[in-house]
Amino acid sequence: MLVQQYTSYPVSTELEARTDFFEFPDVTICSTNYLSVTYGYDPVPSPVAVPGRARGLVDMIYDVSRFFHLLNQTDMNASVPVNPYSSYRHGKLALNKIAYRSKQLPDPYEIVLLCRFNSIPCSYLNFTIYKDDELFKCMTFAPLNNTVVRAGPGNGLYLLMYTYSSSFFTDEEEIDDIPGMKVVLHPRGVKPNMNGPHVMSPLKYKTEAVIDTSIQEKVDRSSYRCLESLPNATYITDYSQLTGPENETFRGSTEDCRVRIMQQEYLDTCGCLATHLPKPADLYYMAQPGVCHDINEHVLFRDIFYRRPTSSYTYYTIRNDSWYKYPLMDYVATNYDMYNGTIARLDCYQRVLDRQNREGVDTHGCPVLCRVKSHEVMPRYYHWPNSVKYSGKAVSNLAMEALNEAKARGLDVRGLKDLVSNYESRVKYYAGVLDLYPRDLIVQMSIESWAYPLRNFFSDLGGILGLWIGASIVTLVEILELAMYGALLVHKKLADRKRNQVIVIKPQEQQQEEKPPGYNHSELETDQQMPEPKVEL
């Protein structure tokens, strides 16, 4: 019974409220409107661009969506919509191919106009660039000292943010769109999951977000396998550069395993990786091409228009290298060998996406950490600003300070200049406040420990032996010691006997006198081999 109880490995859980300094998690912030109005029309460098015909991301999102809409049609001669909203997501994902070649997206020095952490001023320099697969350029707040010594409003991370951007959504995305910032809290050094739990910080509002922290510590056992740490994970974060893809390494998490399982299905089924998911570096180099939305860059740098010769029929046209328009369906037909693979990959991508959304993926074999820290965020929203006139002027002063600092560093300040010149209208629609702070400095802890450790097993065993046979654990140890000494004694005697063995060889004359029955002298010749001498032990 004792052995059975011990080998079942029971655990006990202790709940504890620990008062300590609050360790602030990493905070990643992404704008839901990803295309900068100020820089979105700047030319993107490319070896296939037509000289003198600049193309920016805002131009491309309109045109490439029409291209994907046509590829998804079973009948390319059918009438098409002027604005194919259903294909905007495909077009957005395809922009990852060229998104970071030039300044098309806002940077932290333009977004963060006011920063305060732990009641101490901070700045955009405390943020690092994070490149997301769907929201493009984001920023992560990860200060060297993440300790907060006071709780309550204004004592955590306080930000005044501004973004003059636009985006392109499908009809369903447009319904759910909240212009502003998506905020994700995650452990230090871990890749943020922007599709997981998050809090929104809308524009035109002040968001007060209260953080409650809990820690769960478990023991590794058969019913709950866990590890003290997980291996690091390396992802491709930017494959738009002409010099080749860029990667970044993050601390390991369980989410890495889930992403890998999902991407492995895309790779095995379609031969490419899902564009909307993080891309493990080793899988990316195995895929040909790397992502399912990979297309010939030539399409991105050609204008695609719509034409309506009759009220009931619309078709798309594309410019050639001489900048003349001709039907887009003719362009696809001429280059069918090139785009046939794209059509097949898009169809496969959609089928796998639908299956994973409907059925999910099996993550039972994914490793988990024994110690997990989680943060629950409760937001409250207030209309902001109360006075556009006065708040706008205050924001304009902050923008002027940011402009002077950025200009001194040699950064592009066109966006900040626009804010200073039009501060009332910009602040009214494109600014917001985020106050992210801990509710208190109490951390709720759930700690597991072995309910029946080995010392308890020996203690109970000794008690039972003493109760029933007058023995104890000491007695058992003495018996084991006696058995060990007995085994050593037997081994010693056997070794001594082996060393004392004597080999006796009888003389040759004595062997000749001892004639066995049937012995014949005439048969013994001088050149015959003598019999082997007898050996007695």
Side-chain angles (χ1 to χ4, degrees):
M1 289 174 59
L2 292 179
V3 172
Q4 182 179 7
Q5 182 179 358
Y6 175 74
T7 54
S8 65
Y9 302 113
V11 296
S12 61
T13 302
E14 178 183 358
L15 300 179
E16 178 182 353
R18 182 175 299 177
T19 303
D20 202 349
F21 290 142
F22 184 88
E23 292 185 354
F24 215 79
D26 284 5
V27 181
T28 297
I29 302 173
C30 297
S31 174
T32 56
N33 296 333
Y34 46 87
L35 291 180
S36 171
V37 175
T38 306
Y39 308 107
Y41 294 93
D42 288 0
V44 177
S46 172
V48 299
V50 177
R53 304 292 183 177
R55 297 278 291 166
L57 291 185
V58 176
D59 294 317
M60 295 178 184
I61 187 66
Y62 282 108
D63 297 348
V64 73
S65 299
R66 291 168 175 165
F67 175 75
F68 277 107
H69 181 84
L70 189 65
L71 292 185
N72 286 323
Q73 302 304 303
T74 55
D75 182 7
M76 291 192 179
N77 291 311
S79 181
V80 294
V82 174
N83 296 310
Y85 299 116
S86 61
S87 297
Y88 272 4
R89 188 168 185 271
H90 292 301
K92 178 184 71 173
L93 294 176
L95 293 185
N96 279 285
K97 188 179 181 70
I98 43 86
Y100 304 103
R101 290 187 191 173
S102 61
K103 184 173 173 53
Q104 303 278 320
L105 308 164
D107 285 303
Y109 73 88
E110 302 168 291
I111 298 174
V112 180
L113 300 180
L114 176 64
C115 178
R116 190 169 63 243
F117 176 68
N118 195 20
S119 305
I120 300 174
C122 53
S123 72
Y124 72 91
L125 297 174
N126 297 107
F127 291 81
T128 56
I129 297 295
Y130 168 71
K131 298 176 180 178
D132 187 68
D133 302 280
E134 290 198 77
L135 297 175
F136 298 98
K137 188 180 288 186
C138 307
M139 55 184 186
T140 298
F141 179 78
L144 296 178
N145 182 7
N146 63 343
T147 302
V148 175
V149 298
R150 291 188 299 174
N155 293 316
L157 179 62
Y158 186 93
L159 297 173
L160 169 62
M161 294 180 287
Y162 164 78
T163 175
Y164 184 36
S165 304
S166 61
S167 57
F168 296 83
F169 296 119
T170 64
D171 289 335
E172 293 182 2
E173 292 173 337
E174 191 68 47
I175 294 172
D176 293 333
D177 176 45
I178 301 177
M181 302 293 180
K182 179 182 284 191
V183 183
V184 172
L185 279 61
H186 54 96
R188 170 148 294 195
V190 173
K191 184 177 177 63
N193 178 17
M194 301 309 297
N195 293 320
H198 64 275
V199 61
M200 288 300 304
S201 179
L203 301 177
K204 303 185 294 182
Y205 284 85
K206 178 182 179 181
T207 304
E208 282 193 359
V210 182
I211 306 175
D212 290 318
T213 301
S214 62
I215 298 177
Q216 189 177 59
E217 293 185 2
K218 291 183 172 290
V219 294
D220 181 25
R221 59 187 189 275
S222 57
S223 60
Y224 186 88
R225 309 305 304 184
C226 63
L227 301 172
E228 294 299 326
S229 62
L230 299 178
N232 293 340
T234 302
Y235 292 94
I236 298 296
T237 56
D238 180 6
Y239 53 91
S240 68
Q241 305 299 333
L242 297 174
T243 55
E246 298 177 359
N247 59 58
E248 186 175 353
T249 300
F250 300 87
R251 286 179 53 193
S253 67
T254 304
E255 180 67 15
D256 298 327
C257 176
R258 190 184 73 88
V259 168
R260 190 174 189 85
I261 292 174
M262 297 173 71
Q263 288 286 31
Q264 189 68 57
E265 182 179 2
Y266 279 99
L267 181 61
D268 296 340
T269 308
C270 309
C272 56
L273 299 187
T275 318
H276 71 286
L277 293 175
K279 301 155 192 67
D282 56 333
L283 296 184
Y284 178 84
Y285 290 113
M286 293 170 58
Q288 294 295 333
V291 295
C292 296
H293 286 82
D294 183 78
I295 59 173
N296 186 358
E297 196 168 312
H298 182 275
V299 176
L300 297 172
F301 290 87
R302 302 296 183 273
D303 279 333
I304 298 177
F305 301 92
Y306 73 91
R307 187 177 180 186
R308 185 175 292 163
T310 64
S311 59
S312 60
Y313 182 73
T314 304
Y315 69 95
Y316 300 136
T317 63
I318 186 173
R319 291 188 184 275
N320 58 17
D321 293 343
S322 301
W323 220 242
Y324 290 105
K325 299 178 184 178
Y326 68 107
L328 181 62
M329 64 186 74
D330 293 348
Y331 168 80
V332 174
T334 304
N335 300 276
Y336 186 76
D337 292 340
M338 179 188 303
Y339 294 115
N340 184 38
T342 304
I343 296 173
R345 287 194 304 271
L346 288 175
D347 178 68
C348 181
Y349 166 85
Q350 193 62 47
R351 285 188 285 107
V352 176
L353 178 65
D354 292 341
R355 193 212 66 76
Q356 291 185 352
N357 289 339
R358 183 176 62 254
E359 303 175 15
V361 294
D362 184 9
T363 59
H364 288 91
C366 290
V368 296
L369 289 170
C370 295
R371 188 178 192 273
V372 177
K373 179 185 287 188
S374 56
H375 304 279
E376 183 179 355
V377 183
M378 301 294 293
R380 295 191 297 266
Y381 301 102
Y382 306 93
H383 284 285
W384 182 92
N386 292 327
S387 170
V388 175
K389 179 180 179 180
Y390 296 107
S391 297
K393 186 61 178 176
V395 171
S396 175
N397 295 335
L398 293 172
M400 181 60 70
E401 294 178 7
L403 187 150
N404 293 332
E405 182 179 355
K407 185 183 296 185
R409 294 177 178 272
L411 302 175
D412 195 329
V413 296
R414 285 178 291 166
L416 292 172
K417 283 183 177 180
D418 176 77
L419 172 58
V420 172
S421 302
N422 307 281
Y423 66 87
E424 286 194 5
S425 60
R426 297 291 184 262
V427 169
K428 184 177 181 180
Y429 297 105
Y430 301 104
V433 174
L434 171 65
D435 189 3
L436 190 64
Y437 60 88
R439 183 189 304 276
D440 48 44
L441 301 182
I442 297 177
V443 178
Q444 302 295 330
M445 302 196 62
S446 171
I447 304 174
E448 282 188 353
S449 60
W450 296 115
Y452 195 65
L454 188 60
R455 63 177 182 273
N456 290 15
F457 170 75
F458 280 114
S459 177
D460 291 347
L461 182 60
I464 291 176
L465 291 175
L467 178 65
W468 291 102
I469 62 176
S472 65
I473 291 295
V474 176
T475 307
L476 287 180
V477 173
E478 291 175 346
I479 293 174
L480 290 175
E481 184 181 12
L482 180 61
M484 182 180 67
Y485 280 127
L488 291 175
L489 181 61
V490 172
H491 176 74
K492 184 176 182 300
K493 286 186 175 182
L494 291 176
D496 292 343
R497 184 176 180 183
K498 186 174 182 180
R499 283 196 303 269
N500 293 332
Q501 290 176 346
V502 178
I503 300 177
V504 179
I505 302 177
K506 292 184 179 181
Q508 187 174 6
E509 295 80 359
Q510 184 177 357
Q511 294 179 14
Q512 292 178 355
E513 293 177 359
E514 297 176 357
K515 304 179 182 60
Y519 183 83
N520 189 350
H521 284 281
S522 60
E523 295 177 359
L524 183 61
E525 302 293 338
T526 56
D527 59 346
Q528 289 181 333
Q529 184 178 0
M530 296 296 294
E532 293 288 336
K534 293 184 178 181
V535 179
E536 290 187 0
L537 301 180

